[in-house]
Amino acid sequence: MNFVRFMLEFPPLLLLIIIVLLFSLTGIACTYFFRRYVNMKPLRSHNELVGYIFATVGGFYGLLLGFVVFLVWDAVNEAQTNTNREGSIARALYRDIKFYPQPGKAASLKALYIDYIRSVVNEEFPEMEAMKPVTANNHVHFNAVFQEMVKLDKDAYFSEMFRQLNELAENRSLRFLDATSSIPLEIWLPLLMGGAIILIFAVLVDVESRRLHITANGLLGAFMGLVIYIIIILDHPFTGKLKIEPEAYKAILQMEKTDAAKPV
């Protein structure tokens, strides 16, 4: 996890260049050393067989890559949607608490809610970025809001606020799930092993021109690196330079700061 986070801290363009170069150089090096040190002169029928298997395996590997890219793309879209919905509910609940008909009774609730908002911005999102697991400490401020809200009068206004608080809790839980879910090792292994098999078949294909063979396999490795880069970037939506930010929560803090600066 720490290594993945270390990679994602690089600027996206730099990370793209590093991964593409790594895969491209792997293809170039494998082809170069095979052509230089392995004395292998396959018959035409052998080359046709290798080419046929190469095309078949490449097709299946392309399907595997497409499936994984779709999987992570769908996951990051869902994470963004859940975060946006959570932020929208949080802002609506803030307004309801702010304009509660009896401000004196809601004063302590508002203070606890602002403490929760600060904990989301200053604690929860940084911990998700660091890929830390969810602990009981993450729920202290939120539970305090629940405990304080039940002290209000049980009227229609309270019912609406409590409904929003429950919706906020649901979307907050979804955010934690989105932050902790990632592609397991059981899928990464077939991805990398499949890429290695593709490169082996690409090396075994008999091409008369050594320079053309090395160039083609280098480009093949570069293309594989592009796809792997997309998977890595999308697999951790709350980590790295392209991470999902708590924009709605920051907006609430800005609204509270603006209200506090207004003359009474």
Side-chain angles (χ1 to χ4, degrees), residues 77-131:
N77 281 336
E78 185 176 359
Q80 183 69 70
T81 300
N82 291 335
T83 303
N84 291 342
R85 187 182 297 115
E86 178 191 358
S88 177
I89 296 172
R91 294 181 67 171
L93 182 57
Y94 169 76
R95 285 190 293 268
D96 284 348
I97 295 175
K98 177 182 176 183
F99 296 107
Y100 188 72
Q102 303 177 52
K105 292 185 177 181
S108 58
L109 174 61
K110 182 180 178 182
L112 289 173
Y113 190 67
I114 294 300
D115 287 341
Y116 161 68
I117 299 299
R118 290 196 180 98
S119 71
V120 171
V121 175
N122 301 325
E123 297 175 18
E124 291 184 9
F125 270 80
E127 287 178 1
M128 291 191 303
E129 182 180 3
M131 302 181 187

Side-chain angles (χ1 to χ4, degrees), residues 96 100-101 153-164:
D96 284 348
Y100 188 72
D153 296 336
K154 307 304 186 290
D155 53 13
Y157 207 96
F158 167 83
S159 298
E160 176 62 20
M161 290 169 57
F162 202 74
R163 181 190 64 80
Q164 290 181 337

Side-chain angles (χ1 to χ4, degrees), residues 69 84 116 150 156 205 214 227 262:
V69 169
N84 291 342
Y116 161 68
V150 297
V205 174
I214 293 175
V227 180
K262 292 180 180 179

